[in-house]
Amino acid sequence: MMLSETIDIFLRIAVFSVIASLMSGWVSNRVRVRYLFVLLALMQAVGSLGLLAFGTAVGQWMVAVGYGISGGLLVFLLGVIWPRFYGRKHLGAISSLNMSVIVFASAVGPWTFALSERQTGGYSAAAIACIVYALVCLVASMAISNPQRASDPERAG
């Protein structure tokens, strides 16, 4: 893949990410947050499936749409979910732990792809692991609910 093609993929991801981030604010006032998590996990699975067919135009678009939308949703949800679900009293501690998990995952992801390439000669095994993980998150996100709803039915979430 040429440098210009690589830049094109990242540009498409950025466009979908910005659109998803902007739209998620509007959508979050109309649907429960759990549905945005479901969409995020689904788009992660789409992006990871695209990695398996990355040599094709369809695969590259799946990567751009899937990872772009999921990235835009993640940026929005990380700013909204903690105060909405748990209030602002312990927001600093919660955000710190969340950031630690993000940093750890940012290290594990590339390591997983490097290990896949070293062991199998390609990235398919890591992409499949990402698909499985996204599907597990998809199922888990269907079960989440706002803990504030139990005590205050007026709260959105």
Side-chain angles (χ1 to χ4, degrees), residues 1-88:
M1 177 171 266
M2 306 265 311
L3 179 60
S4 62
E5 293 170 315
T6 303
I7 291 171
D8 182 54
I9 297 289
F10 282 109
L11 181 60
R12 285 187 255 169
I13 290 172
V15 168
F16 284 107
S17 181
V18 168
I19 291 168
S21 186
L22 292 172
M23 294 292 296
S24 58
W26 179 79
V27 171
S28 74
N29 288 325
R30 288 156 179 78
V31 300
R32 287 191 173 171
V33 171
R34 108 173 58 189
Y35 300 124
L36 294 176
F37 275 107
V38 167
L39 181 59
L40 186 151
L42 182 63
M43 290 295 101
Q44 278 287 306
V46 167
S48 298
L49 275 169
L51 289 176
L52 294 175
F54 195 72
T56 68
V58 171
Q60 291 172 9
W61 276 104
M62 288 174 70
V63 167
V65 171
Y67 288 153
I69 292 173
S70 66
L73 288 172
L74 182 64
V75 167
F76 171 77
L77 288 169
L78 288 178
V80 168
I81 193 67
W82 307 122
R84 186 177 287 188
F85 273 32
Y86 300 107
R88 294 182 293 183

Side-chain angles (χ1 to χ4, degrees), residues 107-127:
V108 169
W111 174 78
T112 303
F113 277 84
L115 185 63
S116 173
E117 199 279 327
R118 184 180 318 127
Q119 297 296 322
T120 67
Y123 300 111
S124 294

Side-chain angles (χ1 to χ4, degrees), residues 83-120:
R84 186 177 287 188
F85 273 32
Y86 300 107
R88 294 182 293 183
K89 185 175 182 183
H90 302 289
L91 189 55
I94 293 168
S95 295
S96 296
L97 177 62
N98 183 57
M99 187 55 67
S100 298
V101 171
I102 290 171
V103 169
F104 176 76
S106 296
V108 169
W111 174 78
T112 303
F113 277 84
L115 185 63
S116 173
E117 199 279 327
R118 184 180 318 127
Q119 297 296 322
T120 67

